């Protein structure tokens, strides 16, 4: 994925919501007549400055407007071990089989049914549920599904770029992957998860966050949809400490980057209003 850095770059923002019928109802107010979010020139400089201060580990960030083709990438855009963020891809692949009549949510899977395992995999990041669902989809089919939505992915390697993950989230939230009911259900699993300490903790009051974190052997990631007054963006932050263990500053970096991005995209939201 080529690095996209523009001297003057404005992210086109229109009304962008999940398909009609989404139970999560993430949009707090009607979309304004004019865009509420822009990416000013200073965003590049501010992120570059922060990344320079965090040179002890790899950091890659991708930002994509759900309603359009605009995208920005920062830092390291090579593939990372995606850790548990890739569970969103597995979930979407299984739901797609359900929609084609090739699987059911009440199919037995382990000690429970597929619906239980989907929620446990995404909301609680249960790895046993992930293995069961990947086996149910089938590795070749999971590779083919990822390719069909424009992502190169091998579950045995579990590698994704930040831009790849942003593409998955963008299509999910726009309703391009699943029907309204399944989109709503999957998004509901991406709130009030068993780890709200990364992007949600760095996010500001009034911004709706749907996310999936990942944590493995020095990798600490979060991949989220941020929604504020009809403006919706995918924000993916991947970090890796080459020493193979999580560094104390990785979580802080994810929260700091979240704050920088939100202040740039959503000018009405001011620093100091950040949720605790």
């Amino acid at each position: 994925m080529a690095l996209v850095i523009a001297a003057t770059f404005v992210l086109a923002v229109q009304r962008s919501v999940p398909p009609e019928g989404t139970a999560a109802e993430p949009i707090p107010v009607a979309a304004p007549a004019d865009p509420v979010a822009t990416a000013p020139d200073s965003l590049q400089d501010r992120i570059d400055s922060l990344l320079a201060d965090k040179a002890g580990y790899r950091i890659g960030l991708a930002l994509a407007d759900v309603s359009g083709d605009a995208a920005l990438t920062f830092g390291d855009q090579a593939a990372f071990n995606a850790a548990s963020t890739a569970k969103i891809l597995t979930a979407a692949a299984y739901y797609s089989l359900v929609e084609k009549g090739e699987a059911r949510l009440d199919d037995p899977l382990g000690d429970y049914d597929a619906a239980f395992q989907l929620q446990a995999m995404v909301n609680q990041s249960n790895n046993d549920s992930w293995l069961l669902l990947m086996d149910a989809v089938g590795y070749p089919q999971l590779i083919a599904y990822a390719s069909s939505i424009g992502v190169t992915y091998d579950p045995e390697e579990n590698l994704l770029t930040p831009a790849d993950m942003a593409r998955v989230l963008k299509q999910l939230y726009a309703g391009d992957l699943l029907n309204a009911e399944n989109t709503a259900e999957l998004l509901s699993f991406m709130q009030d998860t068993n780890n709200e300490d990364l992007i949600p903790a760095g996010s500001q009051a009034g911004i709706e966050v749907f996310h999936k974190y990942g944590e493995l052997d020095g990798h600490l990631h979060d991949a989220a949809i941020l929604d504020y007054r009809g403006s919706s963006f995918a924000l993916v932050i991947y970090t890796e400490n080459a020493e193979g263990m999580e560094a104390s500053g990785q979580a802080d970096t994810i929260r700091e980057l979240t704050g920088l991005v939100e202040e740039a995209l959503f000018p009405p939201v001011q620093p100091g209003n950040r949720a605790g």
Side-chain angles (χ1 to χ4, degrees), residues 162-178:
D164 285 337
M165 192 64 222
R167 183 176 294 109
V168 174
L169 290 177
K170 173 180 171 177
Q171 292 179 79
L172 171 65
Y173 199 71
D176 295 335
L177 299 186
L178 305 171

Side-chain angles (χ1 to χ4, degrees), residues 121-235:
M121 177 181 69
V122 176
N123 189 258
Q124 299 299 310
S125 208
N126 187 290
N127 287 328
D128 291 335
S129 298
W130 191 15
L131 290 172
L132 288 167
L133 286 159
M134 283 196 294
D135 285 343
V137 173
Y139 281 28
Q141 291 79 9
L142 186 51
I143 292 169
Y145 177 77
S147 179
S148 75
I149 63 174
V151 173
T152 300
Y153 178 71
D154 182 337
E156 301 220 11
E157 296 180 348
N158 198 34
L159 299 176
L160 289 171
T161 68
D164 285 337
M165 192 64 222
R167 183 176 294 109
V168 174
L169 290 177
K170 173 180 171 177
Q171 292 179 79
L172 171 65
Y173 199 71
D176 295 335
L177 299 186
L178 305 171
N179 67 29
E181 181 179 0
N182 292 329
T183 297
E185 184 166 83
L186 181 49
L187 288 171
S188 75
F189 298 157
M190 296 167 67
Q191 289 190 303
D192 299 319
T193 73
N194 65 327
N195 185 346
E196 297 289 289
D197 293 334
L198 300 171
I199 287 178
S203 190
Q204 301 182 50
I207 297 176
E208 197 84 10
V209 179
F210 305 84
H211 79 114
K212 182 69 197 81
Y213 75 93
E215 190 173 10
L216 177 70
D217 297 336
H219 296 82
L220 186 66
H221 312 322
D222 211 353
I225 292 290
L226 307 175
D227 188 283
Y228 181 71
R229 293 188 175 183
S231 298
S232 307
F233 293 86
L235 171 63

Side-chain angles (χ1 to χ4, degrees), residues 90-110:
T90 299
Y94 190 86
Y95 276 116
S96 72
L97 291 180
V98 171
E99 292 180 9
K100 291 188 290 186
E102 298 174 12
R104 295 170 55 94
L105 291 175
D106 60 1
D107 281 346
L109 210 57

